[in-house]
PDB file of all heavy atoms in Angstrom:
ATOM      1  N   TYR A  35     140.133  99.192 117.091  1.00 98.00           N
ATOM      2  CA  TYR A  35     140.897 100.432 117.194  1.00 98.00           C
ATOM      3  C   TYR A  35     140.441 101.383 116.085  1.00 98.00           C
ATOM      4  O   TYR A  35     140.015 100.966 115.001  1.00 98.00           O
ATOM      5  CB  TYR A  35     142.395 100.170 116.990  1.00 98.00           C
ATOM      6  CG  TYR A  35     143.023  99.349 118.092  1.00 98.00           C
ATOM      7  CD1 TYR A  35     142.921  97.955 118.103  1.00 98.00           C
ATOM      8  CD2 TYR A  35     143.708  99.962 119.147  1.00 98.00           C
ATOM      9  CE1 TYR A  35     143.489  97.222 119.131  1.00 98.00           C
ATOM     10  CE2 TYR A  35     144.284  99.225 120.162  1.00 98.00           C
ATOM     11  CZ  TYR A  35     144.165  97.858 120.170  1.00 98.00           C
ATOM     12  OH  TYR A  35     144.726  97.111 121.180  1.00 98.00           O
ATOM     13  N   GLN A  37     141.936 104.544 113.777  1.00 98.00           N
ATOM     14  CA  GLN A  37     143.187 105.213 113.419  1.00 98.00           C
ATOM     15  C   GLN A  37     142.870 106.388 112.499  1.00 98.00           C
ATOM     16  O   GLN A  37     142.500 106.183 111.341  1.00 98.00           O
ATOM     17  CB  GLN A  37     144.165 104.257 112.730  1.00 98.00           C
ATOM     18  CG  GLN A  37     145.545 104.910 112.516  1.00 98.00           C
ATOM     19  CD  GLN A  37     146.546 103.942 111.912  1.00 98.00           C
ATOM     20  OE1 GLN A  37     146.209 102.954 111.296  1.00 98.00           O
ATOM     21  NE2 GLN A  37     147.836 104.239 112.135  1.00 98.00           N
ATOM     22  N   GLU A 103     149.477  86.645 123.772  1.00 76.00           N
ATOM     23  CA  GLU A 103     148.685  87.842 123.856  1.00 76.00           C
ATOM     24  C   GLU A 103     148.958  88.821 122.734  1.00 76.00           C
ATOM     25  O   GLU A 103     148.445  89.917 122.740  1.00 76.00           O
ATOM     26  CB  GLU A 103     148.970  88.528 125.188  1.00 76.00           C
ATOM     27  CG  GLU A 103     150.459  88.839 125.367  1.00 76.00           C
ATOM     28  CD  GLU A 103     150.761  89.353 126.769  1.00 76.00           C
ATOM     29  OE1 GLU A 103     149.836  89.457 127.599  1.00 76.00           O
ATOM     30  OE2 GLU A 103     151.916  89.670 127.021  1.00 76.00           O
ATOM     31  N   GLN A 105     148.571  90.805 119.478  1.00 92.00           N
ATOM     32  CA  GLN A 105     147.402  91.149 118.677  1.00 92.00           C
ATOM     33  C   GLN A 105     147.779  91.264 117.207  1.00 92.00           C
ATOM     34  O   GLN A 105     148.730  91.952 116.847  1.00 92.00           O
ATOM     35  CB  GLN A 105     146.792  92.470 119.179  1.00 92.00           C
ATOM     36  CG  GLN A 105     146.266  92.333 120.615  1.00 92.00           C
ATOM     37  CD  GLN A 105     145.533  93.553 121.096  1.00 92.00           C
ATOM     38  OE1 GLN A 105     145.224  94.473 120.328  1.00 92.00           O
ATOM     39  NE2 GLN A 105     145.231  93.596 122.397  1.00 92.00           N
ATOM     40  N   GLY A 108     143.610  92.940 111.270  1.00 97.00           N
ATOM     41  CA  GLY A 108     142.997  92.745 109.973  1.00 97.00           C
ATOM     42  C   GLY A 108     143.339  93.899 109.051  1.00 97.00           C
ATOM     43  O   GLY A 108     144.015  94.849 109.456  1.00 97.00           O
TER      44      GLY A 108
ATOM     45  N   TYR B  36     155.186  97.428 115.431  1.00 97.00           N
ATOM     46  CA  TYR B  36     154.416  97.125 114.230  1.00 97.00           C
ATOM     47  C   TYR B  36     154.941  97.993 113.078  1.00 97.00           C
ATOM     48  O   TYR B  36     155.383  99.122 113.290  1.00 97.00           O
ATOM     49  CB  TYR B  36     152.936  97.442 114.423  1.00 97.00           C
ATOM     50  CG  TYR B  36     152.181  96.476 115.332  1.00 97.00           C
ATOM     51  CD1 TYR B  36     152.197  96.639 116.714  1.00 97.00           C
ATOM     52  CD2 TYR B  36     151.480  95.402 114.805  1.00 97.00           C
ATOM     53  CE1 TYR B  36     151.500  95.774 117.551  1.00 97.00           C
ATOM     54  CE2 TYR B  36     150.785  94.531 115.636  1.00 97.00           C
ATOM     55  CZ  TYR B  36     150.791  94.725 116.984  1.00 97.00           C
ATOM     56  OH  TYR B  36     150.085  93.862 117.822  1.00 97.00           O
ATOM     57  N   GLN B  38     153.711  99.667 109.382  1.00 98.00           N
ATOM     58  CA  GLN B  38     152.483 100.002 108.650  1.00 98.00           C
ATOM     59  C   GLN B  38     152.879 100.704 107.342  1.00 98.00           C
ATOM     60  O   GLN B  38     153.409 101.822 107.371  1.00 98.00           O
ATOM     61  CB  GLN B  38     151.564 100.886 109.489  1.00 98.00           C
ATOM     62  CG  GLN B  38     150.223 101.129 108.842  1.00 98.00           C
ATOM     63  CD  GLN B  38     149.229 101.831 109.759  1.00 98.00           C
ATOM     64  OE1 GLN B  38     149.629 102.601 110.630  1.00 98.00           O
ATOM     65  NE2 GLN B  38     147.954 101.558 109.568  1.00 98.00           N
ATOM     66  N   SER B  43     147.187  98.032 106.986  1.00 97.00           N
ATOM     67  CA  SER B  43     147.039  97.898 108.441  1.00 97.00           C
ATOM     68  C   SER B  43     148.394  97.540 109.080  1.00 97.00           C
ATOM     69  O   SER B  43     149.308  97.104 108.370  1.00 97.00           O
ATOM     70  CB  SER B  43     146.024  96.795 108.747  1.00 97.00           C
ATOM     71  OG  SER B  43     146.469  95.547 108.279  1.00 97.00           O
ATOM     72  N   LYS B  92     151.423  97.337 125.995  1.00 90.00           N
ATOM     73  CA  LYS B  92     150.187  96.734 126.451  1.00 90.00           C
ATOM     74  C   LYS B  92     149.916  97.166 127.887  1.00 90.00           C
ATOM     75  O   LYS B  92     150.777  97.040 128.767  1.00 90.00           O
ATOM     76  CB  LYS B  92     150.256  95.212 126.388  1.00 90.00           C
ATOM     77  CG  LYS B  92     148.979  94.512 126.801  1.00 90.00           C
ATOM     78  CD  LYS B  92     148.909  93.091 126.370  1.00 90.00           C
ATOM     79  CE  LYS B  92     148.239  92.943 125.033  1.00 90.00           C
ATOM     80  NZ  LYS B  92     147.891  91.542 124.739  1.00 90.00           N
TER      81      LYS B  92
END
Side-chain angles (χ1 to χ4, degrees):
Chain A
Y35 293 82
Q37 187 176 24
E103 57 187 1
Q105 295 186 11
Chain B
Y36 288 85
Q38 187 172 28
S43 65
K92 183 164 267 193

